[in-house]
Amino acid sequence: IWEVDKEKANEIRLSHWGKKVYARRKQTIERSFADAKQHHGHRYARFRGRAQVQMQCLLAATAQNIKKIAIKLFLLRFFRLFFNLFNKIQIKNPIYGLNKKINPELYRGLSSI
C-alpha cells in the first residue's frame, strides 16, 4: 500500500539535498534527544502513567529551553559589549578618506531582546 510513498521518501533522502538535511539533523535534533537522555532523565521514566511521564518530558523540555535562552542572552550581552567597544574606535574609511564612527543603527536589532 505504501510502496510508492516509501520510494519517494527514499528518493528524497538519497538526493544531494536530503543528505545535507540529514547531516544537519544529526547535529541539531538528535543532539537535543541525546542531551535529554544523558542529563534530564529520559533513560527511564521516573513515574508510571501517561500523565506523569508526559509531565517529566515537559519539565525536561522546559529545562532545555531555559538553557538555550540563557546561552543566547549571554551571547547577546557579550556581543553588545563588543560592538559598543568597537563603535568607540574611529575607523578611517579607505574609500573617502574620512574618519567615521560605525553606524549604531546597524546593531539596533541586538538591543531588542
Side-chain angles (χ1 to χ4, degrees):
I1 296 175
W2 304 105
E3 200 61 37
V4 175
D5 294 325
K6 285 174 29 182
E7 287 175 7
K8 187 174 181 179
N10 282 333
E11 181 181 317
I12 292 170
R13 181 178 57 89
L14 296 174
S15 70
H16 180 68
W17 178 82
K19 289 178 182 179
K20 281 182 143 181
V21 169
Y22 187 72
R24 179 82 175 135
R25 174 189 164 93
K26 288 191 292 187
Q27 297 170 359
T28 56
I29 295 169
E30 299 297 335
R31 183 71 240 154
S32 176
F33 286 121
D35 184 51
K37 185 177 178 182
Q38 186 71 25
H39 301 294
H40 298 287
H42 273 274
R43 272 189 205 279
Y44 305 104
R46 296 182 191 274
F47 306 103
R48 295 292 176 251
R50 183 173 181 225
Q52 286 85 6
V53 173
Q54 186 176 16
M55 177 187 64
Q56 178 186 348
C57 291
L58 291 174
L59 284 173
T62 303
Q64 286 181 304
N65 288 335
I66 289 171
K67 286 195 310 189
K68 284 181 185 178
I69 291 169
I71 289 170
K72 289 185 190 249
L73 285 175
F74 170 77
L75 291 175
L76 177 69
R77 288 184 182 158
F78 173 76
F79 284 120
R80 187 180 297 153
L81 174 66
F82 174 75
F83 287 131
N84 286 340
L85 290 174
F86 192 67
N87 195 21
K88 292 178 183 177
I89 299 171
Q90 293 283 333
I91 297 178
K92 185 165 183 151
N93 191 331
I95 297 173
Y96 302 109
L98 303 172
N99 287 331
K100 289 187 173 182
K101 282 191 166 187
I102 295 174
N103 186 1
E105 294 293 323
L106 296 174
Y107 307 108
R108 185 166 300 274
L110 291 176
S111 63
S112 64
I113 295 179

